Amino acid sequence: MGSEMCIRDRACDASYTEVPRCWRRGRARVSGLRAELPEPIRVSLRCEFVRPQLGVIVEMDVNACIVDAVNSGRDTLDAENGKKVLASFGIKVPQSLLALSPDGADAAFSQLQAPLVAKIVSPDIIHKSDIGGVKIGLSSAAELGQALIDIEAAASSHTDYIDGYLVEEMAPAGHEVVVGGSTDPTFGPIIMFGLGGIFVEVLADVAFRICPIATLDAREMIDELKAVKLLRGARGGVVASEDAIVDTLMKVGGEKGMMLALEGK
Protein backbone atom coordinates (compact mmCIF):
# COMPACT_ATOMS: atom_id res chain seq x y z
CA MET A 1 0.00 0.00 0.00
CA GLY A 2 2.41 2.63 -1.09
CA SER A 3 4.93 3.85 -3.57
CA GLU A 4 8.65 4.37 -3.33
CA MET A 5 9.83 7.85 -2.56
CA CYS A 6 13.26 9.40 -2.13
CA ILE A 7 13.70 11.40 1.05
CA ARG A 8 16.81 13.25 2.17
CA ASP A 9 17.66 12.68 5.79
CA ARG A 10 20.19 13.99 8.29
CA ALA A 11 22.38 10.87 8.28
CA CYS A 12 23.05 10.25 4.61
CA ASP A 13 22.52 11.69 1.16
CA ALA A 14 19.32 9.81 0.46
CA SER A 15 17.43 6.70 1.44
CA TYR A 16 14.54 4.84 -0.14
CA THR A 17 11.67 3.43 1.79
CA GLU A 18 8.07 2.38 1.46
CA VAL A 19 5.61 5.11 2.42
CA PRO A 20 1.81 5.29 2.50
CA ARG A 21 -0.05 6.61 -0.52
CA CYS A 22 -1.24 9.55 1.57
CA TRP A 23 2.31 10.97 1.43
CA ARG A 24 2.77 13.06 -1.72
CA ARG A 25 6.02 13.50 -3.59
CA GLY A 26 8.08 16.31 -2.14
CA ARG A 27 9.97 17.21 0.99
CA ALA A 28 7.92 15.62 3.76
CA ARG A 29 4.53 16.43 2.26
CA VAL A 30 1.55 14.63 3.66
CA SER A 31 -2.08 15.06 2.68
CA GLY A 32 -3.64 11.86 3.92
CA LEU A 33 -6.79 10.94 5.77
CA ARG A 34 -6.89 11.27 9.56
CA ALA A 35 -7.29 7.50 9.87
CA GLU A 36 -3.88 7.01 8.26
CA LEU A 37 -1.99 9.34 10.58
CA PRO A 38 0.73 7.93 12.83
CA GLU A 39 0.22 7.46 16.55
CA PRO A 40 0.80 10.66 18.57
CA ILE A 41 3.73 11.16 20.89
CA ARG A 42 3.00 10.18 24.49
CA VAL A 43 2.55 13.76 25.62
CA SER A 44 0.49 15.66 23.07
CA LEU A 45 1.36 19.33 22.67
CA ARG A 46 -1.03 21.40 20.61
CA CYS A 47 -1.15 25.14 20.07
CA GLU A 48 -4.32 26.89 18.99
CA PHE A 49 -4.21 30.64 18.53
CA VAL A 50 -6.02 33.49 16.85
CA ARG A 51 -3.48 36.29 16.88
CA PRO A 52 -0.19 36.41 18.74
CA GLN A 53 -0.29 39.91 20.28
CA LEU A 54 -1.15 38.71 23.79
CA GLY A 55 1.40 36.67 25.64
CA VAL A 56 4.24 36.20 28.06
CA ILE A 57 7.37 34.06 27.91
CA VAL A 58 7.57 31.65 30.84
CA GLU A 59 10.77 29.98 32.02
CA MET A 60 10.21 26.38 33.12
CA ASP A 61 11.76 22.93 33.21
CA VAL A 62 10.00 21.43 30.19
CA ASN A 63 11.47 17.96 30.66
CA ALA A 64 10.38 17.85 34.30
CA CYS A 65 6.88 18.91 33.31
CA ILE A 66 6.61 16.08 30.79
CA VAL A 67 8.16 13.50 33.09
CA ASP A 68 5.66 14.45 35.79
CA ALA A 69 2.78 13.96 33.36
CA VAL A 70 4.07 10.56 32.24
CA ASN A 71 4.75 9.41 35.80
CA SER A 72 1.21 10.43 36.71
CA GLY A 73 -0.14 8.17 33.98
CA ARG A 74 -1.29 11.03 31.75
CA ASP A 75 -0.75 11.16 27.99
CA THR A 76 -1.58 14.87 27.73
CA LEU A 77 -0.51 18.02 29.52
CA ASP A 78 -3.18 20.13 31.15
CA ALA A 79 -3.91 23.50 29.57
CA GLU A 80 -1.85 25.48 32.06
CA ASN A 81 1.34 23.42 31.67
CA GLY A 82 0.78 23.00 27.93
CA LYS A 83 0.79 26.77 27.49
CA LYS A 84 3.91 27.06 29.64
CA VAL A 85 5.71 24.56 27.43
CA LEU A 86 4.68 26.47 24.31
CA ALA A 87 5.80 29.74 25.87
CA SER A 88 9.19 28.25 26.75
CA PHE A 89 9.81 27.80 23.01
CA GLY A 90 8.96 31.44 22.31
CA ILE A 91 5.35 30.89 21.27
CA LYS A 92 3.14 33.67 22.60
CA VAL A 93 0.16 32.52 24.65
CA PRO A 94 -2.58 34.50 26.40
CA GLN A 95 -1.99 35.69 29.95
CA SER A 96 -3.66 33.23 32.28
CA LEU A 97 -3.82 31.82 35.79
CA LEU A 98 -5.34 28.83 37.54
CA ALA A 99 -8.27 29.31 39.92
CA LEU A 100 -8.56 26.32 42.21
CA SER A 101 -12.27 26.87 42.88
CA PRO A 102 -15.10 29.28 41.99
CA ASP A 103 -14.16 31.19 45.15
CA GLY A 104 -11.03 32.36 43.34
CA ALA A 105 -12.97 34.31 40.73
CA ASP A 106 -12.48 37.76 42.29
CA ALA A 107 -8.73 37.31 42.69
CA ALA A 108 -8.38 35.99 39.15
CA PHE A 109 -10.40 38.81 37.63
CA SER A 110 -8.33 41.46 39.41
CA GLN A 111 -5.10 40.15 37.85
CA LEU A 112 -6.20 39.86 34.23
CA GLN A 113 -7.63 42.15 31.57
CA ALA A 114 -11.21 41.47 30.50
CA PRO A 115 -12.83 40.01 28.49
CA LEU A 116 -11.85 36.63 29.88
CA VAL A 117 -12.44 32.98 29.07
CA ALA A 118 -12.74 30.21 31.67
CA LYS A 119 -12.01 26.53 31.02
CA ILE A 120 -12.25 23.38 33.09
CA VAL A 121 -8.93 21.73 34.00
CA SER A 122 -9.30 17.98 34.46
CA PRO A 123 -7.24 14.99 33.29
CA ASP A 124 -10.51 13.31 32.28
CA ILE A 125 -11.83 16.13 30.07
CA ILE A 126 -9.95 16.92 26.88
CA HIS A 127 -12.72 18.32 24.66
CA LYS A 128 -13.88 20.94 27.12
CA SER A 129 -16.49 22.73 25.04
CA ASP A 130 -18.33 19.45 24.37
CA ILE A 131 -19.40 19.19 28.00
CA GLY A 132 -19.98 22.87 28.74
CA GLY A 133 -16.53 23.33 30.21
CA VAL A 134 -15.75 26.63 28.47
CA LYS A 135 -17.25 30.08 29.03
CA ILE A 136 -16.19 33.11 26.98
CA GLY A 137 -16.68 36.87 26.96
CA LEU A 138 -16.62 37.28 30.74
CA SER A 139 -16.43 40.99 31.55
CA SER A 140 -16.87 41.16 35.33
CA ALA A 141 -15.86 39.27 38.45
CA ALA A 142 -19.49 38.31 39.01
CA GLU A 143 -19.76 36.85 35.51
CA LEU A 144 -16.54 34.94 36.02
CA GLY A 145 -17.69 33.57 39.35
CA GLN A 146 -20.99 32.36 37.91
CA ALA A 147 -19.17 30.87 34.92
CA LEU A 148 -16.91 28.82 37.20
CA ILE A 149 -19.93 27.57 39.14
CA ASP A 150 -21.66 26.58 35.90
CA ILE A 151 -18.53 24.85 34.61
CA GLU A 152 -18.15 22.95 37.89
CA ALA A 153 -21.74 21.74 37.64
CA ALA A 154 -21.33 20.68 34.01
CA ALA A 155 -18.05 18.86 34.63
CA SER A 156 -19.16 17.03 37.76
CA SER A 157 -21.20 14.56 35.73
CA HIS A 158 -18.12 13.64 33.66
CA THR A 159 -15.35 13.42 36.26
CA ASP A 160 -14.59 13.34 39.96
CA TYR A 161 -11.23 15.02 39.36
CA ILE A 162 -11.24 18.77 38.83
CA ASP A 163 -7.80 20.36 39.18
CA GLY A 164 -9.15 23.88 38.81
CA TYR A 165 -10.24 26.41 36.22
CA LEU A 166 -7.97 28.08 33.69
CA VAL A 167 -8.86 31.76 33.43
CA GLU A 168 -7.21 33.66 30.60
CA GLU A 169 -7.44 36.82 28.55
CA MET A 170 -9.26 36.51 25.25
CA ALA A 171 -7.36 37.31 22.08
CA PRO A 172 -8.90 39.73 19.54
CA ALA A 173 -11.33 38.26 17.03
CA GLY A 174 -9.68 36.61 14.04
CA HIS A 175 -9.03 33.21 12.48
CA GLU A 176 -8.34 30.15 14.59
CA VAL A 177 -5.78 27.68 13.35
CA VAL A 178 -4.21 24.56 14.80
CA VAL A 179 -0.56 23.54 14.93
CA GLY A 180 0.16 20.00 16.07
CA GLY A 181 2.57 17.16 15.71
CA SER A 182 3.22 13.46 16.10
CA THR A 183 6.15 11.08 15.83
CA ASP A 184 6.20 8.64 12.93
CA PRO A 185 8.18 5.42 13.60
CA THR A 186 10.00 5.77 10.27
CA PHE A 187 10.31 9.51 9.62
CA GLY A 188 10.35 10.87 13.16
CA PRO A 189 8.69 14.13 14.22
CA ILE A 190 5.96 15.46 11.91
CA ILE A 191 4.25 18.85 12.12
CA MET A 192 0.63 19.57 11.19
CA PHE A 193 -1.11 22.84 10.31
CA GLY A 194 -4.74 23.58 9.50
CA LEU A 195 -7.89 25.44 10.40
CA GLY A 196 -8.50 25.24 14.13
CA GLY A 197 -11.38 24.84 16.54
CA ILE A 198 -14.28 22.74 15.31
CA PHE A 199 -13.02 23.05 11.73
CA VAL A 200 -10.10 20.67 12.30
CA GLU A 201 -12.61 17.99 13.34
CA VAL A 202 -15.27 18.72 10.72
CA LEU A 203 -13.21 19.62 7.64
CA ALA A 204 -9.85 17.95 8.41
CA ASP A 205 -8.27 20.58 6.17
CA VAL A 206 -4.65 20.11 7.22
CA ALA A 207 -1.13 19.91 5.82
CA PHE A 208 1.85 17.93 7.12
CA ARG A 209 5.67 18.07 6.90
CA ILE A 210 8.53 16.06 8.33
CA CYS A 211 10.62 18.05 10.82
CA PRO A 212 12.73 20.07 10.64
CA ILE A 213 10.92 22.43 8.32
CA ALA A 214 12.25 25.54 6.63
CA THR A 215 10.39 28.80 6.10
CA LEU A 216 9.47 27.71 2.57
CA ASP A 217 7.89 24.53 3.94
CA ALA A 218 5.83 26.57 6.39
CA ARG A 219 4.51 28.84 3.65
CA GLU A 220 3.71 25.85 1.43
CA MET A 221 1.70 24.33 4.28
CA ILE A 222 -0.46 27.46 4.36
CA ASP A 223 -0.88 27.39 0.57
CA GLU A 224 -2.00 23.74 0.63
CA LEU A 225 -5.08 24.37 2.73
CA LYS A 226 -8.31 24.21 0.76
CA ALA A 227 -9.63 27.06 2.89
CA VAL A 228 -6.55 29.27 2.52
CA LYS A 229 -8.72 31.98 0.94
CA LEU A 230 -10.49 32.35 4.28
CA LEU A 231 -7.16 33.16 5.95
CA ARG A 232 -6.50 35.72 3.22
CA GLY A 233 -9.71 37.65 3.78
CA ALA A 234 -12.20 36.07 1.37
CA ARG A 235 -15.41 38.09 0.94
CA GLY A 236 -14.21 40.94 3.11
CA GLY A 237 -13.16 38.75 6.01
CA VAL A 238 -10.25 39.20 8.40
CA VAL A 239 -6.80 38.76 6.85
CA ALA A 240 -4.61 36.48 8.96
CA SER A 241 -0.97 37.29 9.57
CA GLU A 242 0.86 34.63 7.57
CA ASP A 243 4.16 35.83 9.02
CA ALA A 244 2.83 35.06 12.51
CA ILE A 245 1.69 31.62 11.37
CA VAL A 246 5.08 30.87 9.79
CA ASP A 247 6.86 32.05 12.95
CA THR A 248 4.81 29.66 15.07
CA LEU A 249 5.30 26.76 12.65
CA MET A 250 9.06 27.29 12.78
CA LYS A 251 9.08 27.41 16.58
CA VAL A 252 7.23 24.10 16.64
CA GLY A 253 8.74 22.24 13.67
CA GLY A 254 11.93 24.10 12.77
CA GLU A 255 15.54 23.06 13.34
CA LYS A 256 15.44 24.40 16.92
CA GLY A 257 11.71 23.85 17.34
CA MET A 258 9.70 22.06 19.97
CA MET A 259 9.12 18.83 18.03
CA LEU A 260 12.82 18.05 17.63
CA ALA A 261 13.74 19.32 21.09
CA LEU A 262 11.17 17.01 22.70
CA GLU A 263 11.71 14.04 20.41
CA GLY A 264 11.60 10.85 22.45
CA LYS A 265 10.22 12.56 25.55
Side-chain angles (χ1 to χ4, degrees), residues 68-215:
D68 178 67
V70 173
N71 290 342
S72 299
R74 305 195 308 271
D75 60 1
T76 61
L77 296 179
D78 60 43
E80 181 186 28
N81 283 315
K83 283 179 168 53
K84 288 180 179 178
V85 170
L86 294 172
S88 73
F89 284 90
I91 299 169
K92 294 183 178 180
V93 297
Q95 297 274 14
S96 63
L97 55 81
L98 184 69
L100 297 180
S101 74
D103 294 336
D106 288 347
F109 189 84
S110 67
Q111 298 178 58
L112 299 171
Q113 182 176 343
L116 304 177
V117 58
K119 305 177 182 179
I120 187 68
V121 179
S122 169
D124 299 327
I125 302 174
I126 304 302
H127 298 289
K128 302 172 180 59
S129 60
D130 291 351
I131 60 97
V134 178
K135 301 292 182 181
I136 64 173
L138 307 172
S139 58
S140 70
E143 287 185 6
L144 176 59
Q146 186 59 52
L148 297 188
I149 292 173
D150 293 343
I151 290 173
E152 182 178 49
S156 62
S157 61
H158 297 273
T159 181
D160 294 326
Y161 303 98
I162 297 178
D163 295 331
Y165 309 85
L166 186 70
V167 183
E168 60 186 2
E169 297 176 356
M170 291 186 65
H175 294 288
E176 189 174 10
V177 301
V178 59
V179 177
S182 63
T183 299
D184 180 86
T186 300
F187 299 108
I190 295 172
I191 184 172
M192 175 193 77
F193 171 71
L195 292 186
I198 63 171
F199 295 108
V200 70
E201 302 289 343
V202 175
L203 301 180
D205 186 11
V206 294
F208 289 81
R209 290 291 188 281
I210 294 174
C211 301
I213 62 170
T215 300

Side-chain angles (χ1 to χ4, degrees), residues 191 210-213 248-255 257-260:
I191 184 172
I210 294 174
C211 301
I213 62 170
T248 299
L249 288 171
M250 293 302 297
K251 287 174 178 175
V252 174
E255 187 72 47
M258 182 177 67
M259 290 301 298
L260 289 185

Side-chain angles (χ1 to χ4, degrees), residues 3 5-6 16 19 30 39 49 56 62 66 71 90-91 107 130 154 162 177 208 214 216 218 222 256 260 262:
S3 58
M5 157 186 176
C6 175
Y16 290 82
V19 298
V30 184
E39 290 297 317
F49 66 96
V56 59
V62 174
I66 294 175
N71 290 342
I91 299 169
D130 291 351
I162 297 178
V177 301
F208 289 81
L216 176 61
I222 298 173
K256 298 180 179 179
L260 289 185
L262 300 182

